[in-house]
Amino acid sequence: MREVTAVILENKKIADEVFSLTFATEEEIPIKAGQFCMIGIGGHALRRPIAVCKAEGVRITVCYRLKGEGTRSLASDYKAGEKISVLLPLGNGFSLTESQKKIVVVGGGVGIFPLISVIREFSNEKEIYAYMGFRNRDAVCMESELQRTEKFVISTDDGSVGHHGTAVQALMKDWSEIRPDAVLACGPAPMLRALKEAVKGKNVPVYVSLEERMGCGIGACLVCTCNKQDGTRARVCKDGPVFEIGEVEL
């Protein structure tokens, strides 16, 4: 993990209340699929945790949804050419074994963004099938990245585009056809709980990236702890954000 001062290259709206921020570091920083960064925003004591979508040499792209004062300030006050303080890379990220050839990625809301890094890292050596859920047509974004996969299925809550329903429901319709070797997921807790229930008895490893409020991002403040099935607690920022789905309480 390093603290760097990066130069903003682009900060643009890509969907309803969703922005893409690209910045450049002075030197290339190795980043693993599923890792995240903490971005400092002027006037706010705490940095904001945001998943890395793309790492291309010194160019790093993250995507974020307007949620509170911090992200709204990030969208409105930070323009190309300005400098920004970033802690990265953080978290453990996703890992796949050589024998895991067919991979399903399931995302909902801002949970699609760390999965884009999975597609970019593994699509040349794995068969990847993407099932992504959005609120509606206006929320759909990053389609060119998601289309790098063997199959890309959009689900929307209102049925305005793609499958009318959830990404988990769309996946289960295709499950017997794909027969994946592993499932990687990120999204709101209800989606992850539905996925856990849906894959019961299928004997396929499922890894989930948890979304939790964070303070420091390095495991010191204990704001982002979650309950584990063995009765202990884990720090999502330091011990995760990626866990095996049976390891944590959802």
Side-chain angles (χ1 to χ4, degrees):
M1 181 273 293
R2 295 171 54 186
E3 180 177 6
V4 301
T5 299
V7 177
I8 295 174
L9 303 178
E10 186 177 61
N11 190 14
K12 65 178 183 179
K13 183 177 181 179
I14 59 172
D16 183 29
E17 296 197 324
V18 176
F19 281 70
S20 171
L21 169 68
T22 300
F23 55 83
T25 56
E26 290 187 353
E27 59 185 271
E28 184 173 351
I29 300 173
I31 299 175
K32 185 178 179 180
Q35 290 187 303
F36 67 98
C37 63
M38 297 287 287
I39 295 180
I41 301 171
H44 298 270
L46 298 178
R47 296 173 183 265
R48 275 14 184 211
I50 304 178
V52 173
C53 283
K54 297 186 284 186
E56 305 165 293
V58 298
R59 292 172 57 100
I60 296 170
T61 298
V62 301
C63 294
Y64 61 97
R65 176 182 291 163
L66 302 184
K67 190 171 183 180
E69 291 183 5
T71 48
R72 293 185 184 281
S73 176
L74 181 61
S76 63
D77 300 340
Y78 288 83
K79 310 298 182 185
E82 296 183 11
K83 294 183 178 180
I84 195 165
S85 175
V86 187
L87 284 176
L88 79 168
L90 300 170
N92 58 357
F94 289 102
S95 295
L96 293 170
T97 66
E98 187 176 344
S99 63
Q100 292 169 331
K101 302 293 187 182
K102 286 188 176 182
I103 310 301
V104 165
V105 292
V106 186
V110 295
I112 73 169
F113 302 129
L115 297 174
I116 287 171
S117 68
V118 171
I119 294 168
R120 294 181 67 86
E121 182 168 324
F122 295 109
S123 60
N124 289 334
E125 56 188 87
K126 309 286 187 183
E127 289 183 29
I128 301 183
Y129 301 80
Y131 292 80
M132 300 295 167
F134 303 88
R135 295 192 311 276
N136 51 42
R137 181 186 297 273
D138 292 337
V140 176
C141 57
M142 305 298 281
E143 291 173 272
S144 62
E145 295 290 338
L146 295 166
Q147 287 166 350
R148 292 168 175 254
T149 57
E150 298 290 323
K151 184 174 186 177
F152 166 39
V153 177
I154 292 176
S155 294
T156 50
D157 295 341
D158 64 358
S160 53
V161 62
H163 169 78
H164 186 182
T166 69
V168 174
Q169 290 169 343
L171 166 61
M172 299 320 294
K173 287 176 60 178
D174 294 346
W175 184 273
S176 59
E177 174 188 340
I178 300 171
R179 297 182 180 274
D181 299 315
V183 178
L184 313 182
C186 185
M191 187 202 89
L192 299 182
R193 287 194 290 267
L195 176 62
K196 184 176 183 178
E197 184 64 27
V199 300
K200 271 185 179 178
K202 297 193 178 296
N203 199 30
V204 173
V206 181
Y207 302 95
V208 295
S209 179
L210 300 186
E211 300 174 345
E212 293 287 345
R213 295 182 67 88
M214 294 182 184
C216 67
I218 58 174
C221 71
L222 306 181
V223 166
C224 64
T225 57
C226 67
N227 293 322
K228 298 182 70 176
Q229 294 287 4
D230 62 6
T232 63
R233 293 182 66 79
R235 300 162 296 180
V236 171
C237 67
K238 186 73 172 179
D239 304 316
V242 177
F243 298 90
E244 196 280 322
I245 199 167
E247 184 181 359
V248 291
E249 293 182 10
L250 299 172

